């Protein structure tokens, strides 16, 4: 089979630690082009992966041999570059959040439809083993009615892992549009939708309290009411000065499910009978040295292209998860509950 030829636009940390590594390990892929406005970064990655280096994304999407584009750019460029790539006849894997507005997201979805190409958003939480197992347990009905939940994603902030550190675009309002909520919170809105269905109403407090010299948020607490009526909280933070938290707890009629809440077991189910089941599953991906790097996002994306399957996180799914975060921003500004 002819290999799928990939162009990666943006050679920052997410490309280096996720996209390029995972494409390189996929036997059905050839990385043929890498692009970054910082020429030295593009050259470095081109030499490492045997690709051609470019400075302008327009040059990459014009390449006839390129089948796929990975968009690993600041948030404000996700939509315009994705749309340009789709219109050039390329399949697109776009980093999260997929866009900075509902309108942008809709234009991305429309471009994919018009060009009959796959648009997938790189939400990786759906591929985590504990999350997939929890979904199976919930759908089996064995734990009964869902009562409530809390889901959290926090760490010290992008300056710890971004290629530009504290000077990263993550802290620039015009480029980032949104801070911890867009970086981390949108992952959890996507996860909770995956596990429990769509969100109906949102109320939120969104603050900039720990970073200073930035207008993007670094702490947010969001109350969600699902369409099913279940209520819970979502927290996103860049202010956890040590370690991190990527846990989700689901409280149900017959048990409590603890996802990524224990260092030894990625899923623990505590039944009201007193029985406790601890699952030994693949660990969640991490940026830590020596940690797991495969998010399964790239493998799923490439498989969807090869087998002409709808990916798990379509543009429509990405848009619904983004809408939760946009509603949280609106709620914080208006001090009102926002219906989606």
């Amino acid at each position: 089979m002819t290999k799928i030829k990939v162009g990666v636009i943006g050679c920052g940390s997410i490309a280096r630690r996720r996209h390029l590594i995972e494409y390189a390990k996929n036997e059905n892929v050839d990385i043929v082009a890498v692009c970054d406005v910082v020429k030295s970064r593009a050259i470095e990655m081109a030499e490492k992966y045997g690709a051609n280096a470019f400075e302008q994304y327009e040059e990459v999407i014009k390449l006839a041999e390129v089948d796929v584009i990975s968009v690993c750019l600041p948030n404000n460029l996700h939509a315009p570059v994705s749309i340009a790539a789709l219109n050039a006849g390329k399949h697109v894997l776009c980093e999260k959040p997929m866009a900075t507005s509902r309108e942008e997201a809709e234009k991305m979805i429309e471009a994919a439809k018009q060009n009959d190409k796959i648009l997938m958003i790189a939400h990786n939480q759906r591929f985590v083993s504990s999350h997939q197992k929890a979904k199976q347990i919930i759908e089996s009905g064995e734990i009964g009615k869902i009562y409530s939940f809390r889901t959290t994603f926090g760490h010290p902030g992008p300056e710890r892992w971004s290629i530009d550190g504290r000077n990263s675009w993550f802290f620039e309002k015009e480029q980032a549009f949104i801070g911890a909520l867009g970086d981390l919170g949108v992952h959890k809105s996507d996860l909770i939708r995956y596990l429990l269905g769509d969100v109906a109403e949102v109320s939120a407090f969104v603050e900039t309290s720990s970073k200073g010299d930035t207008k993007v948020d670094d702490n947010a607490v969001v109350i969600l009411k699902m369409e099913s009526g279940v209520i819970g909280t979502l927290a996103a933070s860049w202010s956890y000065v040590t370690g991190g938290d990527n846990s989700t707890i689901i409280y149900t009629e017959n048990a409590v499910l603890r996802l990524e809440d224990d260092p030894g077991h990625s899923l623990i189910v505590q039944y009201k009978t007193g029985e406790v089941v601890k699952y030994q599953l693949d660990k969640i991906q991490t940026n830590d040295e020596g940690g797991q790097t495969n998010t399964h996002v790239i493998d799923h994306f490439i498989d969807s292209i090869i087998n002409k399957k709808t990916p798990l996180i379509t543009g429509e799914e990405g848009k619904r998860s983004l809408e939760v975060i946009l509603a949280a921003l609106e709620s914080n500004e208006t001090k009102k509950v926002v219906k989606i």
Side-chain angles (χ1 to χ4, degrees):
M1 187 187 72
T2 303
K3 290 192 175 185
I4 292 173
K5 294 180 172 55
V6 172
V8 176
I9 299 178
C11 292
S13 293
I14 199 67
R16 292 163 180 250
R17 299 186 181 190
R18 295 286 187 263
H19 292 245
L20 288 166
I21 291 172
E22 295 183 32
Y23 280 127
K25 288 182 178 178
N26 190 300
E27 62 183 11
N28 296 311
V29 166
D30 273 338
I31 301 169
V32 298
V34 293
C35 176
D36 200 287
V37 292
V38 180
K39 188 176 182 179
S40 60
R41 292 177 185 172
I43 291 172
E44 179 189 356
M45 291 299 101
E47 291 176 348
K48 183 172 182 178
Y49 292 101
N52 292 313
F54 297 86
E55 288 182 77
Q56 303 300 321
Y57 77 84
E58 294 91 344
E59 297 178 278
V60 179
I61 64 176
K62 286 178 182 176
L63 295 172
E65 66 267 30
V66 170
D67 306 303
V68 163
I69 294 290
S70 256
V71 179
C72 303
L73 295 168
N75 297 340
N76 66 319
L77 295 176
H78 287 177
V81 176
S82 293
I83 291 167
L86 290 162
N87 286 337
K90 317 300 184 186
H91 300 289
V92 170
L93 176 64
C94 180
E95 265 302 325
K96 51 72 200 170
M98 69 180 289
T100 62
S101 69
R102 183 180 293 105
E103 292 73 23
E104 279 190 340
E106 289 169 350
K107 288 177 181 177
M108 291 169 69
I109 293 165
E110 184 59 29
K113 288 180 179 177
Q114 287 182 349
N115 295 286
D116 194 26
K117 295 299 174 183
I118 288 175
L119 169 63
M120 178 171 156
I121 313 305
H123 285 295
N124 53 34
Q125 299 253 335
R126 299 192 188 201
F127 299 101
V128 175
S129 296
S130 60
H131 299 163
Q132 292 185 336
K133 182 63 178 178
K135 185 175 176 67
Q136 291 175 9
I137 293 170
I138 291 167
E139 291 180 345
S140 75
E142 70 172 78
I143 55 174
K145 183 179 179 181
I146 308 295
Y147 289 150
S148 186
F149 64 87
R150 66 171 176 84
T151 189
T152 303
F153 201 170
H155 60 46
E159 64 267 43
R160 294 287 186 95
W161 59 267
S162 173
I163 197 167
D164 289 316
R166 190 60 179 80
N167 296 318
S168 169
W169 62 263
F170 279 98
F171 300 101
E172 300 296 330
K173 183 75 170 180
E174 287 187 3
Q175 292 179 279
F177 165 68
I178 190 173
L181 258 182
D183 181 35
L184 306 179
V186 74
H187 271 314
K188 306 309 279 199
S189 67
D190 190 72
L191 171 62
I192 213 65
R193 290 185 51 255
Y194 171 67
L195 293 174
L196 302 179
D198 277 325
V199 177
E201 297 179 68
V202 177
S203 182
F205 293 97
V206 184
E207 300 288 341
T208 304
S209 57
S210 70
K211 295 303 175 188
D213 298 324
T214 182
K215 295 181 179 178
V216 297
D217 58 280
D218 54 31
N219 271 291
V221 176
V222 185
I223 300 171
L224 304 177
K225 184 174 184 180
M226 313 304 288
E227 287 188 351
S228 63
V230 174
I231 58 172
T233 60
L234 179 159
S237 178
W238 284 344
S239 66
Y240 295 7
V241 294
T242 61
D245 187 353
N246 200 345
S247 65
T248 300
I249 317 296
I250 301 174
Y251 304 94
T252 79
E253 182 180 1
N254 298 321
V256 174
L257 278 65
R258 298 188 176 276
L259 292 66
E260 304 301 329
D261 190 48
D262 179 87
H265 298 87
S266 54
L267 174 62
I268 298 176
V269 183
Q270 301 167 315
Y271 291 92
K272 68 178 182 182
T273 59
E275 179 188 6
V276 177
V277 179
K278 298 181 178 181
Y279 291 89
Q280 289 278 8
L281 302 167
D282 288 342
K283 291 186 176 182
I284 196 168
Q285 64 278 350
T286 175
N287 289 323
D288 295 337
E289 194 71 30
Q292 178 188 343
T293 57
N294 193 345
T295 64
H296 306 290
V297 168
I298 269 70
D299 289 345
H300 180 80
F301 177 54
I302 295 300
D303 181 66
S304 297
I305 294 169
I306 292 172
N307 294 298
K308 296 180 172 59
K309 298 191 300 186
T310 302
L312 193 56
I313 308 103
T314 59
E316 288 85 352
E317 282 295 291
K319 173 174 169 278
R320 292 188 187 102
S321 296
L322 173 65
E323 284 175 332
V324 176
I325 301 308
L326 295 174
L329 291 177
E330 182 182 344
S331 172
N332 182 66
E333 291 172 3
T334 63
K335 304 306 176 188
K336 294 179 179 179
V337 175
V338 175
K339 294 185 178 181
I340 297 180

